[in-house]
Amino acid sequence: MPIRLYNTMGRRTEEFVPIVPGQVGLYTCGPTVYDYAHIGNLRTYIFEDVLKRVLLHNGYKVRHVMNITDVGHLTGDGDEGQDKLEKKSRETGRSAWDIAAFYTEAFFKDYDSLNIIRPDVICPATRHIGDMIGLIRRLEKGGHTYIAGGNVYFSIDTFPDYGKLANLNLESLQSGARIDIDSNKRNPKDFVLWFTNSKFGNQEMMWDSPWGRGYPGWHIECSAMSMKYLGEQFDIHCGGIDAIPVHHTNEIAQSEAATGKQPWVRYWLHGEFLLSGKGSKMSKSSGEFLTLPLLQSKGYDSLDWRYFCLGAHYRSQLQFSYQALDSARAARKSLCDRLTALTALNDGQVPLKAQRGENRWLDDFDADTASDLNMPKAMADLWGLLKDETLTPAQKLSGVLYMDEVLGLKLEGAMKTPQAEQIPQEVADLLQQRAEAKKNRDWAAADSVRARIEALGYIVKDTPQGPKLEKKV
Ligand code: AMP
Ligand code: ZN
């Protein structure tokens, strides 16, 4: 099935055609590990996971690379402020290395509990300083850099295509820009490739380089590591929309300037923001953010958060509220209950995953997910499948397993609950008989089967999601 994706570069939806047929090189910008990830950050990782799962579901081999930013990310994207990890270190008295290790572990705990497939390569910036120095040297040789105040800067005037991702209008930017940010810069949009002692001389994380002891800028890490593991040109690069105007714009400039090859990346995909209670972007710096462990402590499951995110298109803003999260939790619970009941109807057996094209719901699901990851429609296809009275329990269950390859909601678990397994065969048979009687509108027969089920110690409750079996107490 052809996959169509909205490419931020060019602002249009295009058919996805990889460089090497059947294979995808995917780079996703990873976390800056100075604090817990908030649920907005996690929304972005869920969107990227859905993208990867759609590619896998459609038969592509995916090589996924993600960085861990453990040095170089300043509090301001335009080189202002101080290194986020160093700042945290000063505030807490812990070493920057400890902080990075602690929050990297916390991050992957969240990542795993959201059932996000781990990348093939996870690369911390601090372990790739040599690669970054190598790339800066290449830029230097090509005449794209200058040194001022001890720092190495990328000169955007040497790269005529600067700003093409963000559609930046450089003239208006220049006239309106605040030149006072860094007087070393020849152009306000120039950015640091390497900081030396001239700035933050007491920084804990520092390395020797041809330009003096110091540390890398944030943008160079993603260029250096993505090219190391995916080659000088690759298929897809993702992140949140806040990365478009500076981080990804600068990544493109330095990568294409260094290699002379265009385009560096064929498809740029960006996830929209999660908004916090007051309608503004959820962010760590504003202090108004929620974490997954906090939601868990309030009794929510991580997969409730995943379900919540699947209800919105990745390119739409999503407003957080506990009320909406409660609805997602209730919907996921009724989905799981329904799967448990269907498994009981299927003699407690979990069928094999359906084959592509087995029924119209699977076709619709494939078309919707391949249409720029339209997950709200894909979720409606899931419910359509479950409510389709022409399908048997086994057909529904196997269809759900097929869809869950993309949804990643661990739905097989709901088919294997003790309830499903423990229902006696006789009761499961009667449930099936009752479903058939109801389908034939033979209400008298349905009632008499219900009475027989009750005599065996079970109560059948009809819910909008289908029949539910409970043990009599
Ligand atoms: P960070 O750890 O701050 O580098 O951010 C990790 C990822 O989360 C980046 O791709 C950001 O663009 C993304 N992000 C940051 N804030 C939000 C938000 N409120 N909603 C969705 N994604 C976000
Ligand atoms: Zn990045």
Side-chain angles (χ1 to χ4, degrees), residues 29 77 165 218 239-250 270 273:
C29 285
D77 281 358
L165 181 72
W218 173 36
I241 51 156
D242 52 342
I244 299 171
V246 180
H247 184 50
H248 288 169
T249 288
N250 292 352
H270 292 98
F273 287 142

Side-chain angles (χ1 to χ4, degrees), residues 86 97 129 133 149-152 193-216:
E86 296 285 335
W97 295 97
I129 303 296
I133 290 176
N151 297 328
V152 183
L193 298 166
W194 188 264
F195 291 102
T196 67
N197 288 338
S198 66
K199 192 168 183 182
F200 319 130
N202 57 352
Q203 175 114 351
E204 185 186 344
M205 293 173 157
M206 290 213 275
W207 294 263
D208 290 328
S209 84
W211 313 281
R213 194 161 170 75
Y215 60 98

Side-chain angles (χ1 to χ4, degrees), residues 50 54 57 307 310-313 335 361-386 399-400 403-404 406-407 409 411:
V50 168
V54 167
H57 181 74
Y307 194 101
L310 293 176
H313 192 271
L335 170 63
W361 299 108
L362 307 191
D363 288 343
D364 288 354
F365 182 86
D366 283 340
D368 291 329
T369 50
S371 170
D372 194 31
L373 319 181
N374 194 333
M375 299 317 289
K377 274 181 120 180
M379 291 304 284
D381 299 329
L382 169 75
W383 283 103
L385 169 88
L386 287 169
V400 168
M403 294 179 178
D404 203 36
V406 172
L407 304 175
L409 288 168
L411 296 176

Side-chain angles (χ1 to χ4, degrees), residues 27-30 67 69 218-219 221-222 237 247-248 251:
Y27 185 85
T28 57
C29 285
N67 65 305
T69 300
W218 173 36
H219 318 300
E221 68 170 271
C222 286
H237 194 315
H247 184 50
H248 288 169
E251 281 187 42

Side-chain angles (χ1 to χ4, degrees), residues 25 31-32 38 103 113 138-139 147 150 154 156 184 189 217 224 271 295 325 341 359 374 378 393 402 412 421-422:
T32 307
H38 61 63
Y103 289 112
S113 79
R138 245 172 120 178
L139 287 168
I147 296 176
F154 181 89
I156 67 156
N184 292 321
K189 286 278 154 190
L295 296 186
L325 182 59
N359 62 57
N374 194 333
Y402 178 89
E412 193 172 358
E421 280 157 14
Q422 284 163 13

